Amino acid sequence: MKPAAFDYVRCETLDEACEVIAQTGDDARILAGGQSLVAMMNMRLATPAVLVDVMPAPDARKVAAENGTLKIFAAVRQASLLDDPDLTWRNPLLARMLPWVGHPQTRARGTICGSVAHADPSAEIPLALAALDGKVILRRGRKRRSVKATDFFLGMMLTDKADDEMIEAVTFADVQQGTGTGFAEFGRRKGDFAIVACAALVSPMRVRFAVGGVNDTPFVRDWDNLSPQDDAEALNALAWSLDARGDLHATARYRRDLVRHLGAQALKEARSCAV
Amino acid sequence: MRRLTATERHPVRFTLNGKPAEGTAHPRMLLSDFLRGVQGATGTHVGCEHGVCGACTVRIDGAMARSCLTFAVQIEGAEIDTVEALAPAPARLSVLQDAFRKHHALQCGFCTPGILMSLDTLLATESQADAERIRDVLSGHLCRCTGYQPIVAAALDAAQTLREETDNA
Ligand SMILES: Cc1cc2nc3c(=O)[nH]c(=O)nc-3n(C[C@@H](O)[C@H](O)[C@H](O)COP(=O)(O)OP(=O)(O)OC[C@H]3O[C@@H](n4cnc5c(N)ncnc54)[C@H](O)[C@@H]3O)c2cc1C
Ligand code: FES
Ligand code: FES
């Protein structure tokens, strides 16, 4: 299986990448880590006429801590963010979830923004973005707009990004001191996409819970003052409210059951480190 | 910005196993095919061509990576290491390769070049890697013959030998 022919454009700056995407529109695709795109091209599920390689652009490799968020630009690889020693205290939830994204061999190439653009319903990074009040910064030429993660994901591999836009960066809100975080996932094999993944953030006033792998987009629910003895009931109601469907990997009932079990694990972990 | 057109072959200059190398490739040529077909370095194997099996794993600028998910034109200026680089001299095996032989960590050998490249990279960067860490890295590879147990044993043995070698150096 080999990809169809395409022109390859090597960009030295983000400006250049934006320019080519804005001019070429739906015939062009950004090439980031290639860990989803090249596989799809090899299977001829994607046949772009132009590939715009953003990875050689030094200004796309930035990670910036600003205004209580972590801003991650288009060419930041998953492994390099995971290696950042500051990540564990700044954003323990992201640090907890990144090792679940594929394998060391795919994280060494795959990017944060690429996973957001790809928008797989089971992917951990979009789930983290939704749970952490994330924003997606989109660029068309020199015009920028910022979209909340919960508005960005529209469906299975479907987002609010237009064909002539690119993701310049994404931002994750820092986890506040005293907020506990937890995560649990089940997949068939280590490194496979999740069948269900659950993330939790517990602060004195609020419990936030996020589920991936069940609905077509990451699902986020906030509870005020949920006490631990009510967790099971809340999770059961939430499991029924989701749009669980059966497929090759799992039945709808099994998915709901995973939400109850993994949800309890994630909440327990988050409560244990909340103050 | 440089645009490489689909219909032409473009020169690619890089470092292969420590030596300068070059060749030409259409943009759509995968690094795995470039290494095997153009460079004649057939040690790298090709299985699934969608990133799942790990047979094609090489080192790109020091990091383990799938050569089937990278285009040859992307490696301009990069340092590529393949399984051919592991043996220190003809007819001599590296510590890791020798441990694979000792522990029967391969049968048909189809998956072996990729696994060796991942584990060699791991042991070079994390000399204290334990069984759990080794399994984590192995999760990116499929082996249909060994059941993985001997591979873990070989990697642990090699890690031990390498630590002793540095201690005694
Ligand atoms: C074996 C294997 C296992 C995996 N397991 C998991 C897993 O468990 N969980 C998981 O979440 N992922 C998993 N993945 C996918 C993950 O590795 C990819 O990194 C991710 O989905 C895409 O990121 P990328 O940088 O490789 O993007 P690419 O593959 O380069 O691009 C993906 C798509 O996004 C677009 N794109 C990329 N960057 C931008 C941008 N800045 N602006 C606009 N569009 C852009 C591309 O045009 C393309 O359409 C796995 C992959 C493999 C091969
Ligand atoms: S051939 Fe590259 S991962 Fe299978
Ligand atoms: S030795 Fe045969 S596939 Fe691993």
Side-chain angles (χ1 to χ4, degrees), chain B residues 35-46:
Chain B
L35 289 171
R36 292 176 56 85
V38 180
Q39 301 295 320
T42 52
T44 300
H45 288 175
V46 174

Side-chain angles (χ1 to χ4, degrees), chain A residues 22-50:
Chain A
Q23 280 164 7
T24 325
D26 70 350
D27 280 345
R29 290 269 198 121
I30 295 278
L31 174 62
Q35 301 302 292
S36 297
L37 180 59
V38 181
M40 291 197 307
M41 290 175 65
N42 287 353
M43 292 187 263
R44 303 269 173 130
L45 295 171
T47 52
V50 182

Side-chain angles (χ1 to χ4, degrees), chain A residues 1-9 26-53 118 157, chain B residues 4 6 26-31 33 48-51 68-74:
Chain A
M1 297 181 298
K2 312 290 174 191
F6 57 87
D7 280 7
Y8 168 86
V9 182
D26 70 350
D27 280 345
R29 290 269 198 121
I30 295 278
L31 174 62
Q35 301 302 292
S36 297
L37 180 59
V38 181
M40 291 197 307
M41 290 175 65
N42 287 353
M43 292 187 263
R44 303 269 173 130
L45 295 171
T47 52
V50 182
L51 275 196
V52 184
D53 190 354
H118 190 60
M157 295 178 176
Chain B
L4 310 184
H26 287 110
R28 77 184 190 106
M29 180 173 266
L30 299 171
L31 175 58
D33 291 332
C48 65
E49 288 189 330
H50 57 269
C68 74
L69 298 185
T70 305
F71 296 110
V73 291
Q74 284 180 276

Side-chain angles (χ1 to χ4, degrees), chain B residues 57-91:
Chain B
T57 304
V58 298
R59 203 151 44 215
I60 306 181
D61 290 330
M64 41 185 117
R66 306 291 200 228
S67 58
C68 74
L69 298 185
T70 305
F71 296 110
V73 291
Q74 284 180 276
I75 61 144
E76 172 78 32
E79 287 185 19
I80 308 296
D81 296 307
T82 63
V83 70
E84 283 92 346
L86 297 188

Side-chain angles (χ1 to χ4, degrees), chain A:
Chain A
M1 297 181 298
K2 312 290 174 191
F6 57 87
D7 280 7
Y8 168 86
V9 182
R10 184 181 293 136
C11 298
E12 308 296 337
T13 63
L14 271 169
D15 283 354
E16 287 178 0
C18 287
E19 196 184 300
V20 185
I21 287 287
Q23 280 164 7
T24 325
D26 70 350
D27 280 345
R29 290 269 198 121
I30 295 278
L31 174 62
Q35 301 302 292
S36 297
L37 180 59
V38 181
M40 291 197 307
M41 290 175 65
N42 287 353
M43 292 187 263
R44 303 269 173 130
L45 295 171
T47 52
V50 182
L51 275 196
V52 184
D53 190 354
V54 72
M55 301 309 283
D59 62 349
R61 272 178 232 142
K62 278 183 302 193
V63 175
E66 55 181 49
N67 310 324
T69 69
L70 201 59
K71 186 173 186 182
I72 295 156
F73 282 80
V76 177
R77 300 197 198 269
Q78 293 149 10
S80 62
L81 187 63
L82 200 49
D83 283 346
D84 182 343
D86 288 339
L87 185 69
T88 327
W89 63 263
R90 186 178 289 285
N91 203 319
L93 184 60
L94 195 53
R96 177 86 168 79
M97 290 170 73
L98 278 181
W100 289 84
V101 182
H103 311 278
Q105 296 86 354
T106 63
R107 291 194 295 272
R109 305 288 294 172
T111 63
I112 302 290
C113 290
S115 176
V116 172
H118 190 60
D120 188 292
S122 293
E124 293 83 2
I125 295 169
L127 180 64
L129 197 72
L132 291 163
D133 296 313
K135 293 204 175 85
V136 182
I137 296 151
L138 292 163
R139 253 184 91 170
R140 175 188 284 117
R142 303 206 162 268
K143 281 215 187 72
R144 287 188 179 81
R145 66 185 178 112
S146 165
V147 183
K148 283 203 296 196
T150 39
D151 297 330
F152 180 75
F153 299 110
L154 299 179
M156 190 180 286
M157 295 178 176
L158 195 69
T159 71
D160 189 41
K161 182 183 81 62
D163 288 334
D164 58 355
E165 283 180 314
M166 73 169 280
I167 299 179
E168 181 177 54
V170 294
T171 65
F172 295 85
D174 294 345
V175 173
Q176 297 300 312
Q177 282 282 322
T179 298
T181 57
F183 178 71
E185 160 169 336
F186 182 76
R188 290 238 177 254
R189 219 167 57 92
K190 176 80 188 44
D192 275 7
F193 276 98
I195 293 180
V196 172
C198 297
L201 290 132
V202 174
S203 59
M205 295 308 291
R206 188 190 74 183
V207 171
R208 166 162 293 184
F209 186 75
V211 190
V214 183
N215 287 11
D216 285 346
T217 59
F219 178 89
V220 181
R221 166 71 59 83
D222 287 335
W223 288 297
D224 300 328
N225 301 315
L226 180 74
S227 53
Q229 65 267 26
D230 299 330
D231 281 0
E233 205 177 314
L235 285 170
N236 183 44
L238 184 126
W240 281 110
S241 76
L242 294 171
D243 184 23
R245 274 162 287 166
D247 61 17
L248 192 65
H249 306 288
T251 60
R253 184 178 165 190
Y254 184 63
R255 284 206 161 82
R256 280 192 295 272
D257 229 34
L258 283 177
V259 172
R260 294 182 194 104
H261 283 89
L262 298 172
Q265 278 175 33
L267 282 172
K268 189 171 169 209
E269 181 185 329
R271 289 190 192 282
S272 73
C273 54
V275 286

